[in-house]
Amino acid sequence: MVRFKNRWLLVEFIDTSTADASAAKEPLSTRSLDGRLIYNALRDSVVTNFGDTGWGAVGMSLTVKYFSPTTNLCIIRVARDHHRIAWGAVTLLTGIHDVRVIPRVIHVSGTIKHAQLSAIAHNRDVIARFRTKLKNAALHHDSYDDYLARSTREIEALQD
Amino acid sequence: MHFDLNFPVTASGSTSQPKKNKNKQPQQSSSTAFTPAQIKGIEARLDLLEHCLFISRYDTLSLRFNQSVNKKIDPKTHVNILDELLKQLRARPGTVFLKRLTIVLDNDSEKGFGLANANASLVEPYDVIALLPTTSATFSLACLTHSLPSPLTAHIIALPLTLPRLPFQLKHTLVRTAIKNGAVFEINYAGAIGGESDASLSTFGVSDTGVSGKRNWWAAAREVVRVAKGKGIVVSGGVASEADYRGPKDIANLLTLLGLAQNLAHDASVAAPKSLILRAQARKTYRAVLSEPRLMIPEATQVVPPTQQTGGGENMRHNSIISEPSPDAASTNGRQEAGL
């Protein structure tokens, strides 16, 4: 009746430092990020763009549930009523801890189940794209398969 | 199908075009060749857009390369840089490239800024024309005279959203006329992210970056949405640096934060630009008539049907075919031409 409704945002942080062909000497990479840094960056973004009232609307329920440094995939849980504020804050992020990123929300769902399914499907998509780029289907089965299995397990282990 | 109507491109050689004197020879040799490094940069941005943001097996992307021109188009100094560029970029399946010209209007352009019959050949190769008014007089000029269907009509009215206190008031009547005539108003989302906007725009004094730029963006964009009531709005990039691109759903969410309803926000990036491109193709026709009326001769010799009803049904069907050739023909026409 008075159930607490959530929205689960599946966000991919696209690394612009490596997307750029002419990389600098030490490209700051998203390998060094983790959930805590993302949470801090999100909090700053909400406060800068939507003020203290924005943070008040969203802050209590905002959690970073999962982050994988290899695919830059992040799962964020927000309350449903003001999830658009959190979504806007994610979009307006330009960098996390001095790493320039492009945030891209892949999927928004109301249950964790579908967020998990979408995350697993997205991982498979990304791996498939890697493989077509390498044009070498047979050889790299080991490393990617292993990674896929591991990440699928991690994702499915998420609790509400 | 998603659209990004504003992919700003600046020429390599030219810094700022000679502003007032039409008769002076252009001092810098405006070389239209793009250096390989620039090509690589542009290709990298295109890669980013395509693979990272718009990926989906069913989506295509349509990009409008934007060339900005100051104040007036001169036949002598104006150089079409986009043709060269398009030849050098490799064709991507799933992306359509189009050409757009933006004319920045300010006080000097009140007398006339080259969008006249004499210069029709100059604007011909561009698919879309946009105007960027900065004063109220130019704004009313843009809304009223230049949105009428004709070979010179402007299709997009872009507004400088990051200037402090939008210098003119968006009058409801003007905006409504423009939308009724088919012009659309453009919102560039680069201003919200606070990124460094197109370099050429800032030399024209139209944009402002940093914190105040962002604040002005929110205020002005909200105003545009309110006055246009969500109908003739198109959202586009205007992004100069790579790190400012955002995916289409994220932009639609930003628009909902501006007060636009969810379905209208989605339309602003999908449906409105599509009809805009169709309308842009109408520039090549007389007064925006796109359809080829087909002559339907009702089949008079039908075997007499057993009941009266089917006879009536067939007649009605013929009537409906006759009375509506335009949407079908227009849409197939448009699709053929847009598919290139």
Side-chain angles (χ1 to χ4, degrees), chain A residues 143-158:
Chain A
S143 56
Y144 285 142
D145 273 349
D146 193 30
Y147 169 72
L148 263 184
R150 221 176 349 114
S151 59
T152 314
R153 253 178 294 128
E154 269 175 33
I155 292 173
E156 282 175 358
L158 285 179

Side-chain angles (χ1 to χ4, degrees), chain A residues 12 14 16 19-21 49-50 84-85 87-88 90-94 100-106 129, chain B residues 40 44 48 51-53 55 192-193 214 218 241-246 249-251 253-254 256-257 262:
Chain A
E12 179 193 7
I14 302 172
T16 48
D20 206 359
N49 291 308
F50 301 100
R84 291 198 175 270
I85 297 182
W87 188 352
V90 166
T91 309
L92 294 171
L93 266 185
T94 54
R100 292 219 71 179
V101 288
I102 297 182
R104 174 177 161 240
V105 169
I106 308 177
R129 199 165 301 122
Chain B
K40 211 163 87 160
L48 183 68
H51 293 298
C52 299
L53 296 180
I55 17 167
I193 305 180
K214 274 199 250 187
W218 283 100
S241 80
E242 260 181 31
D244 292 331
Y245 280 114
R246 294 294 182 270
K249 276 202 174 167
D250 298 327
I251 302 301
N253 184 50
L254 282 184
T256 36
L257 289 173
Q262 223 176 327

Side-chain angles (χ1 to χ4, degrees), chain B residues 290-294 321-333:
Chain B
L290 263 184
S291 65
E292 359 166 305
R294 286 191 319 230
I321 291 178
I322 292 175
S323 63
E324 298 187 356
S326 16
D328 279 339
S331 58
T332 48
N333 256 349

Side-chain angles (χ1 to χ4, degrees), chain B residues 73 75 114-126 129 151-152 283:
Chain B
I73 335 179
L115 206 60
N117 274 319
N119 288 338
S121 56
L122 265 187
V123 299
E124 179 106 19
Y126 293 101
I129 303 183
L152 305 162
R283 215 177 82 218

